[in-house]
Amino acid sequence: MSDLQLGFELMGYGLLGVFSVLFLFILMILGLTNIFHPKNK
Amino acid sequence: MDLFLEMFSGVTMLTWKHIVMYLIGIVLIYLAIKKEYEPMLLLPIGFGAILVNLPYSTVWEHDGNVGFLKTFYDAGIITELFPLLIFIAVGAMIDFSQLLRAPKMMLFGAAAQFGIFSTIIAALLLGRAFPSLGIDLKVASAIGIIGAADGPTSIFVARQFAEEYLGPITVAAYSYMSLVPIIQPPVIRALTTKKERMIRMEYKARAVSKTALIAFPICITLVAGIVAPESSALIGSLMFGNLIRECGVVERLSQAAQNELANLVTLLLGITVGGTMKAESFLAPQTLLILGLGLVAFVFDTAGGVLFAKFLNLFSKTKINPMVGAAGISAFPMSSRIVHKMAIAEDPTNFILMQSVSANVAGQLGSVVAGGIILHLVPILLSR
């Protein structure tokens, strides 16, 4: 496989990976802010 | 007489390449002092570039002995210690509370990483057109990471994938970061209408407790470390710095990280990177290519964020000001300030600073995650 083809694969999987991880972060933040909500104190 | 000439043989050893490097060093110092473009880094980089290109310079290697800049290089760059220490300092400086109040802004931190990957493709296309440049996937990835708009991540990835281009990649990353106020506005204007730039965004801040702020760096480290292990050093350093900031019981450590550690490592990092700019390797077509592609990376980053916001607007009831997408890059806080200023210029009563800051802080995380994913994926792709 040529470097250019590998580059496109890297782009596809890379962007998918970044969005997936940051989406996980969003879920984690929503969980954290609900569990440790100021009103719960 | 011969002894006299030998005493000053440095003069006869000067070449045009040395002179060019002195000029480059002076330009960097000028930009740092006069224009205040990232002075903390460009000034030591410029001076280091002059220092290492002196004939018979003893700062790198001489007669088989290791000079002081090479010692810094081996200790801080080869071991990746300097970028990681910088990240501890950066983590201690960043307030993630805005992001916790508006977590959906995290998506812009991902979208703005588009510049990294599109620049990798651009570099590979150029490599295919000019095979003599020797651009393979690793070199292209190291160049593309300039689009992370994040100096330490750029150094970290370049060190692993293209050590020979560390100097130009670092100079490009920091120079363009300082030029964000010049690069971003025309790209934003070209991709948005005046009506879009005037979109008002309601700011509904979620309440965030101190406990959530403390748990945040720990949970981010766990999640990122488990799903993207290659990012664990980068994100772990960033989050460790943030934890000592937020926990509230080690104020002295937090202050030391934000001040003494940041200043000292920045100083050493700058002059060491300058020390890598030897005329023989720096004055090559690849350097011009890296500087050009670095600019492309920042343009694509901005475009990626803006276009993603416009894409979301197709489905969303509450419209997003597309300029906020441009703040999803890692250049903090410059990018969010620019977006805020542009919004005020269109409508003096439209305040989108909070949303921009959230996106900008998300960009910090996005760039580190992107760096980790690239470090993880490239060897896998090449081994297949």
Side-chain angles (χ1 to χ4, degrees):
Chain A
M1 205 181 274
S2 75
D3 270 347
L4 193 59
Q5 283 171 308
L6 290 175
F8 278 109
E9 270 201 69
L10 178 64
M11 186 178 197
Y13 285 112
L15 280 172
L16 186 66
V18 176
F19 270 99
S20 308
V21 174
L22 293 202
F23 186 70
L24 271 178
F25 287 174
I26 294 177
L27 296 179
M28 193 204 74
I29 290 173
L30 291 174
L32 275 180
T33 47
N34 278 317
I35 295 167
F36 301 114
H37 196 275
K39 283 177 192 164
N40 292 345
K41 287 202 154 189
Chain B
M1 189 62 183
D2 285 350
L3 191 63
F4 181 78
L5 285 175
E6 199 156 315
M7 194 164 64
F8 297 106
S9 58
V11 179
T12 55
M13 285 301 289
L14 269 181
T15 65
W16 67 269
K17 286 186 173 181
H18 291 127
I19 310 285
V20 172
M21 289 311 296
Y22 303 152
L23 290 175
I24 289 172
I26 289 166
V27 168
L28 291 176
I29 293 170
Y30 170 82
L31 291 175
I33 296 171
K34 195 74 181 171
K35 302 282 181 185
E36 293 192 27
Y37 289 165
E38 292 283 336
M40 301 267 281
L41 275 148
L42 290 193
L43 193 137
I45 288 176
F47 195 78
I50 294 173
L51 206 51
V52 81
N53 285 295
L54 296 170
Y56 299 123
S57 178
T58 57
V59 299
W60 198 259
E61 268 180 327
H62 60 101
D63 300 333
N65 297 315
V66 176
F68 84 102
L69 285 187
K70 179 82 164 56
T71 305
F72 289 156
Y73 184 78
D74 291 341
I77 305 278
I78 293 285
T79 59
E80 290 154 1
L81 195 62
F82 286 168
L84 295 177
L85 288 174
I86 290 273
F87 260 134
I88 293 178
V90 171
M93 290 176 198
I94 295 182
D95 177 5
F96 282 102
S97 61
Q98 285 306 329
L99 186 59
L100 268 73
R101 290 190 175 96
K104 72 174 182 183
M105 289 295 158
M106 188 79 85
L107 291 174
F108 296 112
Q113 308 311 319
F114 176 72
I116 297 177
F117 298 100
S118 48
T119 306
I120 292 174
I121 300 294
L124 288 170
L125 283 170
L126 279 171
R128 177 176 270 206
F130 305 100
S132 60
L133 290 171
I135 296 176
D136 57 16
L137 187 63
K138 282 192 169 181
V139 174
S141 302
I143 297 172
I145 205 72
I146 296 171
D150 178 343
T153 303
S154 301
I155 294 169
F156 198 85
V157 175
R159 207 316 266 150
Q160 298 200 23
F161 284 169
E163 205 180 323
E164 64 275 28
Y165 300 126
L166 186 75
I169 286 172
T170 310
V171 170
Y174 282 109
S175 306
Y176 291 134
M177 268 163 65
S178 64
L179 292 175
V180 157
I182 297 166
I183 298 169
Q184 283 205 310
V187 181
I188 295 171
R189 276 193 210 102
L191 294 173
T192 53
T193 61
K194 186 175 174 66
K195 195 179 164 192
E196 284 173 326
R197 292 195 293 274
M198 290 175 72
I199 291 176
R200 286 171 177 270
M201 291 175 73
E202 201 181 338
Y203 183 64
K204 278 190 270 183
R206 296 160 62 86
V208 176
S209 68
K210 182 80 184 160
T211 317
L213 283 170
I214 294 171
F216 174 75
I218 300 169
C219 293
I220 287 278
T221 307
L222 284 170
V223 172
I226 291 165
V227 298
E230 293 293 328
S231 66
S232 56
L234 289 168
I235 209 122
S237 310
L238 188 72
M239 290 297 118
F240 172 63
N242 192 247
L243 180 62
I244 60 174
R245 171 200 173 94
E246 297 297 347
C247 70
V249 293
V250 284
E251 187 54 30
R252 277 170 54 195
L253 292 189
S254 174
Q255 288 302 322
Q258 292 180 46
N259 299 296
E260 288 85 356
L261 182 69
N263 293 339
L264 189 61
V265 182
T266 302
L267 190 151
L268 295 178
L269 181 71
I271 197 161
T272 308
V273 167
T276 65
M277 292 166 63
K278 288 185 215 135
E280 310 87 69
S281 54
F282 195 84
L283 295 178
Q286 285 88 342
T287 300
L288 275 180
L289 181 90
I290 289 166
L291 293 174
L293 286 171
L295 180 61
V296 169
F298 272 66
V299 169
F300 277 126
D301 272 346
T302 308
V306 171
L307 294 176
F308 182 70
K310 290 176 76 150
F311 174 73
L312 287 184
N313 278 346
L314 295 176
F315 310 99
S316 176
K317 276 184 190 171
T318 52
K319 299 294 178 200
I320 298 163
N321 189 319
M323 291 197 293
V324 169
I329 67 168
S330 183
F332 181 82
M334 275 174 291
S335 196
S336 47
R337 276 191 202 148
I338 290 156
V339 167
H340 173 61
K341 274 186 189 172
M342 286 183 75
I344 287 183
E346 298 291 351
D347 174 0
T349 60
N350 189 11
F351 297 100
I352 55 169
L353 182 63
M354 290 306 167
Q355 293 88 343
S356 310
V357 168
S358 303
N360 211 174
V361 170
Q364 285 277 335
L365 291 174
S367 66
V368 176
V369 169
I373 284 175
I374 286 173
L375 285 172
H376 188 59
L377 274 182
V378 170
I380 294 174
L381 289 170
L382 289 174
S383 67
R384 285 194 310 176

